[in-house]
Amino acid sequence: MRKMKMLLVASMLIGMNVNAQSTASGTDATKVVFFEVGGPGLISVNYDMRFGKTNDGFGFRAGFGGWSLKNSKLLLIPLGLNYITGKNGRDYFEVGAGSTIVSNSDKDPGDGPFKNSFGFISLGYRKQPVDGGYFFKAALVPVFGKGFFWPYYAGVGFGYAF
């Protein structure tokens, strides 16, 4: 399981590098780096990118987050696909879905929802300037997994679009 997680993270980093190289040759896909509280990574740093040369349309997000308390360490890796749409070039509606990989060092994590990997859906608002700049998002993020469903979970993110 640990090798699979490391392979997944390495492939995401290689994908980001390939996309950065194609951007230099003329692709104008919007990219965002943001810090999120709540959401599928609890407390996380994320990378979001559109697949096309526009500010809206289909894209993906990948990040890492978690925390450490006493003897318990929690690592979360949210991965997902999303679609954003808007009319004025800065205010967008976002819908997305994905999965969060969970690594919990606690030998007995209890009955909490973040002891195993889980799925999420994201429905929200994002403010993303056309020419880059400060980024904001707020979303309702229902999470679900083995034995639980939280329909009223949410997240707020701040970052920079380029």
Side-chain angles (χ1 to χ4, degrees):
M1 183 69 173
R2 177 168 270 173
K3 288 180 183 180
M4 188 167 124
K5 289 177 188 176
M6 294 304 290
L7 180 62
L8 182 62
V9 170
S11 64
M12 286 185 326
L13 293 173
I14 290 168
M16 287 180 209
N17 187 30
V18 169
N19 287 325
Q21 290 173 356
S22 66
T23 300
S25 66
T27 302
D28 294 320
T30 300
K31 299 166 194 68
V32 179
V33 175
F34 65 97
F35 176 76
E36 186 174 39
V37 176
L42 296 181
I43 299 172
S44 61
V45 176
N46 299 273
Y47 177 81
D48 183 284
M49 188 182 96
R50 300 298 93 211
F51 291 133
K53 296 181 180 183
T54 62
N55 270 359
D56 57 1
F58 285 100
F60 75 94
R61 73 171 286 165
F64 65 93
W67 69 72
S68 177
L69 295 172
K70 295 185 181 179
N71 295 331
S72 177
K73 293 179 182 148
L74 184 65
L75 173 67
L76 300 155
I77 302 172
L79 303 169
L81 297 174
N82 54 35
Y83 181 82
I84 62 173
T85 184
K87 292 186 178 186
N88 66 5
R90 72 175 180 268
D91 298 307
Y92 296 93
F93 172 73
E94 173 185 358
V95 60
S99 179
T100 298
I101 299 167
V102 176
S103 174
N104 193 336
S105 70
D106 193 350
K107 302 219 186 306
D108 182 22
D111 293 331
F114 303 118
K115 65 181 181 177
N116 294 313
S117 297
F118 59 90
F120 65 89
I121 298 169
S122 178
L123 301 167
Y125 166 80
R126 67 162 63 189
K127 185 169 210 63
Q128 179 174 301
V130 175
D131 298 326
Y134 293 104
F135 166 87
F136 169 78
K137 77 177 279 181
L140 179 63
V141 186
V143 293
F144 52 89
K146 187 176 180 181
F148 78 95
F149 174 61
W150 285 4
Y152 301 114
Y153 188 64
V156 176
F158 301 93
Y160 194 80
F162 52 98

